[in-house]
């Protein structure tokens, strides 16, 4: 390694050491061990422009081992991003742009929020998939509009997480050859030497996935450089493979007393060891100081501007030859919907409002997709091996595959991986990703759902079989606590529609929402289709609205999804007993909570008791019904039996609900005859 290259890597090490030491918190070991790899990649190969972190054709860099965040912050600062030294000096401080783990949208140049190990890797698979699909759609023989790579840094922890298997197996199957992953093979995690609990033959594992695997000394810059060149060469082949570069490194490299030890992993080195490290690295500068020749050598702005200008010329040629495709690409990368969307939505509303009979909301969802998705080329759907059950496919959709472009993917039984891959596709840009599984299996994907909410990504989760109503599959598959649990995630809109038009409104809300993800909770069983008008969409969009009003009401019945029609039928039974109640549908609690006080009071007047009805764990509804109200819910796991039998068993028939209402309001004592229902 030449002297300047060594000093550039040491600048990364010492910025990390100084920032962690000043914060009295952080992880210096991995940045010190991966500094040589980072120097080669960022100085020689990475296509990026510090002046424009959102350049569509930039390479994506993902730090999956997010605890090594200071490595990324040092790289961004030194190459010229808008991340001044003062921000590095405020590492892990309130409202700084250098949080403990990288956060997209906060720090320029950070592609995804990482920290939960393995998810950054899965996000990168989504980014590489997005690049491949966009290239297949937009590139022409005479003009490559989309041509970039996705690079990932990760460590032992990412590979121990099960999501790494889900995502990397899929990446190999799909031949995502522009995905290049660097494995920081330092043999250390928080508890010590990983050989006591992680003895996988990682190269063999990835070869079995269909990856190219290269093994190098991670401190040999020439070897790392050659490996990257081989990986890029592989990506140019029609049958190319993703590449894993296994880099043997020493954690805390440069620290005389703590390198190679778990003591360097997750704590400051300490003042004495920092001094010793400075001496060992021959870094004779005060904290946070970078000599001019090293800073100048790191500056990536001139190179980035040149690369970006070359792409701009490509765009101009492309726009001249393919103006319609160019306009579509630019629209999709901005995240705008087509101008035709509004009309398609109203046409769908007019058509669906005329439907009669009964239908499962999972089927209603597919009917909505049939009408909206063909006009949204950015929609990319899929299912975790449940397409025929989730009904995420639609008329005219094309199944994507290993070397086949399409807009619907069978992810296999990989719920967590699917959710994190969708996050990556959204982060990349150009797609609205949606994927389906059973609601009870949202437990598998929950952390990726949470990350989408944290990152404010437009991702859509289609969760079908949403209650005991699914029937014979029993309590393992029957969602009880899942709806309220998902509603607890900040910035996640959870919709549980009751009929066709509510399902259309839910999809519209999900597609048009740009600041966060949406979960659609859909029934397996058929539900009555209510008479509707297309303009009902407006009130449905507010999340909660009055379905039946009565000036003489003595209570409000509040229901969602498959329980709304039960509430309406119970209202009719109560009317026979001269008991009037209002009925409110609340398909989306977060949307309703966002309405103004006057509207919320008009829907749920405080002077009327409220009885909430949902076949789920009841506690969340107590914030609406208060201490004076009542919740008809399910406090236990389900049972294996046909859906109608279970609804009766758990007290969800119109007759049972009516009795419960009468008992709650004391009407049974006021009637002359016993209340009996057939």
């Amino acid at each position: 390694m030449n002297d300047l290259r060594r000093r550039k890597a040491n600048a990364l090490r010492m910025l990390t050491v100084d920032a962690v030491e000043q914060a009295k918190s952080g992880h210096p070991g991995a940045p010190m061990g991966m500094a040589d790899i980072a120097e080669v990649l960022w100085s020689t190969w990475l296509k990026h422009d510090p002046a424009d972190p959102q350049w569509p054709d930039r390479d994506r860099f993902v730090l999956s081992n997010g605890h090594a965040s200071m490595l990324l912050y040092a790289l961004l600062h030194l190459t010229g991003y808008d991340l001044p030294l003062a921000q590095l000096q405020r590492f892990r401080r309130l409202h700084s742009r250098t949080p403990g783990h990288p956060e997209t949208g906060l720090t320029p140049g950070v592609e995804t929020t990482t920290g939960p190990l393995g998810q950054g890797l899965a996000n990168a698979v989504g980014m590489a998939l997005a690049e491949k699909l966009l290239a297949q759609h937009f590139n022409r023989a005479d003009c490559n509009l989309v041509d970039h790579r996705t690079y990932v840094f990760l460590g032992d922890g990412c590979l121990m997480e099960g999501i790494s298997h889900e995502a990397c197996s899929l990446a190999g199957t799909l031949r995502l050859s522009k995905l290049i992953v660097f494995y920081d093979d330092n043999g250390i995690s928080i508890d010590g030497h990983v050989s006591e609990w992680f003895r996988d033959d990682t190269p063999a594992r990835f070869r079995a996935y269909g990856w190219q695997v290269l093994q190098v000394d991670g401190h040999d810059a020439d070897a790392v450089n050659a490996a990257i060149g081989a990986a890029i060469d592989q990506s140019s082949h029609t049958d190319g493979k993703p590449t894993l570069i296994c880099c043997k490194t020493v954690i805390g490299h440069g620290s005389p007393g703590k390198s190679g030890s778990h003591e360097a992993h997750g704590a400051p080195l300490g003042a004495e060891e920092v001094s010793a490290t400075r001496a060992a690295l021959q870094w004779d500068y005060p904290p946070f100081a970078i000599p001019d020749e090293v800073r100048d050598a790191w500056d990536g702005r001139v190179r980035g501007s040149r690369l970006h200008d070359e792409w701009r010329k490509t765009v101009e040629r492309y726009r001249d030859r393919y103006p319609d495709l160019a306009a579509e690409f630019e629209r999709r990368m901005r995240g705008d919907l087509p101008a035709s969307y509004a009309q398609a939505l109203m046409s769908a509303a007019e058509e669906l409002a005329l439907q009669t009979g009964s239908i499962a909301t999972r089927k209603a969802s597919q009917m909505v997709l049939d009408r909206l998705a063909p006009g949204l080329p950015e929609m990319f759907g899929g299912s975790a091996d449940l397409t025929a059950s989730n009904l995420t496919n639609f008329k005219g959709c094309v199944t994507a595959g290993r070397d086949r472009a399409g807009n619907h993917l069978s992810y296999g039984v990989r719920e967590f991986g699917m959710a994190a891959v969708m996050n990556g596709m959204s982060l990349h840009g150009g797609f609205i990703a949606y994927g389906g599984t059973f609601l009870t299996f949202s437990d598998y994907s929950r952390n990726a759902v949470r990350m989408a909410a944290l990152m404010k990504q437009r991702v859509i989760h289609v969760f079908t079989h949403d209650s005991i109503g699914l029937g014979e599959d029993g309590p393992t598959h029957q969602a009880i606590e899942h709806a309220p649990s998902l509603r607890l995630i900040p910035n996640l809109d959870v919709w549980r529609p009751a009929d066709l038009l509510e399902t259309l409104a839910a999809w519209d809300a999900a597609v048009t929402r740009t600041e966060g993800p949406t979960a659609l909770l859909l029934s397996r069983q058929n539900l009555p289709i209510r008479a509707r008008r297309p303009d009902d969409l407006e009130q449905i969009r507010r999340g909660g609205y009055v379905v039946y009003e009565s000036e003489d009401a003595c209570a409000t019945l509040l229901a969602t999804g498959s329980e709304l029609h039960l509430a309406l039928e119970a209202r009719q039974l109560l009317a026979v007993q001269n008991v009037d109640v209002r009925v409110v549908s609340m398909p989306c609690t977060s949307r309703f909570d966002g309405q103004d006080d006057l509207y919320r009071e008009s829907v749920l007047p405080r002077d009327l008791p409220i009885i909430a009805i949902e076949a789920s764990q009841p506690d969340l509804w107590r914030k609406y019904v208060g201490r004076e109200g009542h919740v008809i819910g399910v406090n236990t796991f389900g049972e294996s039996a046909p859906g109608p039998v279970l609804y009766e068993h758990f007290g969800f028939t119109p007759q049972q609900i009516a009795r419960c209402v009468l008992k709650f309001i004391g009407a049974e004592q006021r009637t002359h005859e016993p209340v009996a229902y057939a």
Side-chain angles (χ1 to χ4, degrees):
M1 182 188 300
N2 65 46
D3 183 64
L4 182 57
R5 175 157 269 178
R6 177 183 61 81
R7 295 177 71 203
K8 288 173 67 183
N10 286 342
L12 297 175
R13 292 186 173 100
M14 292 312 302
L15 281 175
T16 295
V17 167
D18 292 338
V20 171
E21 193 66 25
Q22 180 156 300
K24 302 303 180 189
S25 173
H27 300 75
M32 296 174 75
M34 298 195 79
D36 297 312
I37 308 165
E39 190 279 326
V40 174
L41 175 64
W42 281 66
S43 295
T44 306
W45 297 98
L46 191 71
K47 183 173 71 172
H48 67 118
D49 181 2
D52 186 1
Q54 298 304 312
W55 169 24
D57 203 43
R58 69 193 182 278
D59 289 340
R60 271 56 170 183
F61 176 79
V62 173
L63 187 74
S64 190
N65 48 343
H67 55 273
S69 56
M70 261 311 304
L71 174 63
L72 180 53
Y73 301 148
L75 286 162
L76 294 170
H77 167 70
L78 289 171
T79 53
Y81 285 78
D82 181 20
L83 192 66
L85 187 62
Q87 288 294 326
L88 274 63
Q89 293 169 328
R90 297 190 63 235
F91 179 52
R92 291 185 163 228
R93 293 294 178 257
L94 183 64
H95 302 317
S96 78
R97 285 190 283 161
T98 50
H101 292 80
E103 296 181 29
T104 188
L106 175 65
T107 311
V110 172
E111 300 286 359
T112 181
T113 300
T114 55
L117 293 175
Q119 282 198 65
L121 170 60
N123 295 163
V125 171
M127 294 174 188
L129 175 59
E131 192 276 343
K132 183 172 184 176
L133 291 167
L134 288 171
Q136 289 171 331
H137 182 71
F138 288 104
N139 286 357
R140 295 296 179 264
D142 61 344
C143 204
N144 279 350
L145 185 65
V146 181
D147 185 11
H148 55 267
R149 291 171 177 80
T150 302
Y151 296 98
V152 185
F153 278 14
L154 56 76
D156 293 296
C158 290
L159 296 182
M160 284 187 259
E161 290 285 0
I163 193 173
S164 69
H165 168 68
E166 296 183 28
C168 294
S169 170
L170 182 64
T173 299
L174 297 178
R175 289 208 281 229
L176 302 181
S177 59
K178 289 185 178 178
L179 176 63
I180 301 173
V181 177
F182 299 83
Y183 167 32
D184 180 26
D185 183 11
N186 61 35
I188 297 292
S189 66
I190 293 175
D191 282 355
H193 291 275
V194 300
S195 59
E196 295 296 320
W197 50 84
F198 184 55
R199 287 181 171 268
D200 295 15
D201 185 342
T202 297
R205 170 187 166 188
F206 275 76
R207 289 189 184 102
Y209 291 151
W211 288 51
Q212 171 181 235
V213 178
L214 306 171
Q215 295 172 268
V216 300
D217 178 348
H219 300 299
D220 183 338
D222 293 335
V224 172
N225 191 64
I228 298 173
I232 289 175
D233 179 66
Q234 174 77 212
S235 69
S236 65
H237 300 165
T238 55
D239 60 349
K241 305 174 180 180
T243 296
L244 177 71
I245 303 176
C246 298
C247 303
K248 198 67 181 177
T249 63
V250 177
I251 191 170
H253 181 83
S255 168
K258 296 188 177 181
S259 63
S261 164
H262 70 280
E263 293 183 21
H265 175 87
L269 297 181
E272 183 176 336
E273 187 64 18
V274 169
S275 296
T277 301
R278 272 191 158 74
L281 295 177
Q282 300 177 355
W283 193 259
D284 301 323
Y285 311 101
F288 296 103
I290 304 295
D292 290 344
E293 64 273 20
V294 173
R295 184 174 290 281
D296 291 344
W298 262 117
D299 195 332
R301 288 172 291 188
V302 172
R303 175 176 174 270
S305 178
R306 175 177 56 79
L307 293 170
H308 198 166
D309 283 343
E310 291 172 2
W311 184 76
R312 289 189 180 101
K313 293 174 183 176
T314 299
V315 172
E316 290 305 315
R317 291 196 304 273
Y318 190 89
R319 188 179 288 115
D320 288 343
R321 299 170 190 176
Y322 312 104
D324 292 342
L325 280 172
E328 181 191 337
F329 175 79
E330 291 169 347
R331 176 190 67 76
R332 287 175 61 172
M333 294 307 292
R334 288 194 307 269
D336 297 338
L337 295 178
S340 59
Y341 174 76
Q343 182 55 53
L345 177 70
M346 289 314 301
S347 296
E350 291 166 0
E351 182 182 355
L352 296 178
L354 298 175
Q355 299 287 323
T356 59
S358 63
I359 191 172
T361 51
R362 61 172 176 154
K363 181 61 179 177
S365 169
Q366 187 178 50
M367 292 175 66
V368 170
L369 286 171
D370 286 342
R371 288 154 179 78
L372 297 185
L376 294 171
E378 56 265 59
M379 290 284 277
F380 187 85
S383 172
D385 202 43
L386 290 169
T387 300
S389 294
N390 304 144
L391 304 181
T392 49
N393 54 348
F394 55 89
K395 292 177 183 177
C397 77
V398 177
T399 301
R402 181 167 190 160
D403 297 304
R404 183 176 61 251
N407 53 7
H408 190 278
L409 179 66
S410 293
Y411 283 91
V413 187
R414 299 182 175 103
E415 294 88 356
F416 193 6
M418 175 180 71
V421 166
M422 291 196 298
N423 287 350
M425 296 187 74
S426 177
L427 287 158
H428 179 280
F431 290 96
I432 300 174
Y434 70 94
T437 188
F438 292 166
L439 177 55
T440 190
F441 299 149
S442 65
D443 286 339
Y444 285 128
S445 55
R446 182 182 178 86
N447 197 260
V449 176
R450 182 180 188 272
M451 293 301 292
L454 176 61
M455 296 187 288
K456 302 179 181 178
Q457 293 303 302
R458 176 166 49 181
V459 175
I460 304 168
H461 295 273
V462 180
F463 293 132
T464 68
H465 297 58
D466 69 343
S467 73
I468 55 173
L470 69 86
E472 293 87 343
D473 277 342
T476 59
H477 285 52
Q478 292 164 1
I480 301 295
E481 74 280 15
H482 299 79
S485 175
L486 288 170
R487 290 177 180 129
L488 293 176
I489 297 176
N491 196 39
L492 173 66
D493 275 358
V494 178
W495 285 83
R496 189 167 184 253
D499 59 16
L500 262 171
L501 212 63
E502 283 196 2
T503 305
L504 175 63
W507 267 108
D508 173 52
V511 167
T512 57
R513 184 176 191 233
T514 59
E515 72 279 6
T518 302
L520 308 180
L521 279 47
L522 307 172
S523 73
R524 180 197 184 208
Q525 73 272 30
N526 283 357
L527 307 177
I529 298 175
R530 296 182 56 243
R532 290 285 199 177
R533 301 187 311 273
D535 57 8
D536 287 348
L537 277 179
E538 286 304 316
Q539 60 178 349
I540 298 171
R541 286 185 177 119
R542 304 187 81 163
Y545 63 101
V546 179
V547 176
Y548 181 85
E549 187 62 274
S550 171
E551 293 183 0
D552 300 321
C554 61
T556 298
L557 304 188
L558 170 61
T560 79
S562 50
E563 287 70 72
L564 177 61
H565 78 95
L566 301 176
L568 288 166
E569 291 176 33
R571 183 207 68 77
Q572 293 176 323
L573 295 175
L574 291 165
V576 173
Q577 299 294 325
N578 295 318
V579 175
D580 287 333
V581 294
R582 305 166 70 251
V583 180
V584 167
S585 176
M586 192 173 290
C588 184
T589 59
S590 55
R591 283 291 179 108
F592 179 74
D593 291 347
Q595 304 303 312
D596 60 73
D597 291 345
L598 187 63
Y599 178 77
R600 285 186 282 121
E601 175 67 21
S602 72
V603 174
L604 296 177
R606 299 180 192 181
D607 58 351
L608 285 180
I610 301 169
I611 301 164
I613 308 163
E614 185 178 69
S616 69
Q617 207 283 337
D619 287 354
L620 176 133
W621 293 106
R622 302 196 190 282
K623 79 172 186 176
Y624 298 102
V625 306
R627 296 177 65 182
E628 299 77 19
H630 184 67
V631 182
I632 302 174
V634 182
N635 258 324
T636 67
F637 293 113
E639 300 279 356
S640 179
V645 173
L646 291 174
Y647 262 71
E648 182 174 5
H649 174 73
F650 284 101
F652 287 92
T653 66
Q655 295 83 0
Q656 291 166 314
I657 292 169
R659 286 196 192 96
C660 186
V661 172
L662 288 171
K663 183 177 181 180
F664 175 72
I665 64 175
E668 282 188 332
Q669 286 71 36
R670 297 199 300 270
T671 58
H672 299 292
E673 300 291 337
V675 179
Y677 301 109

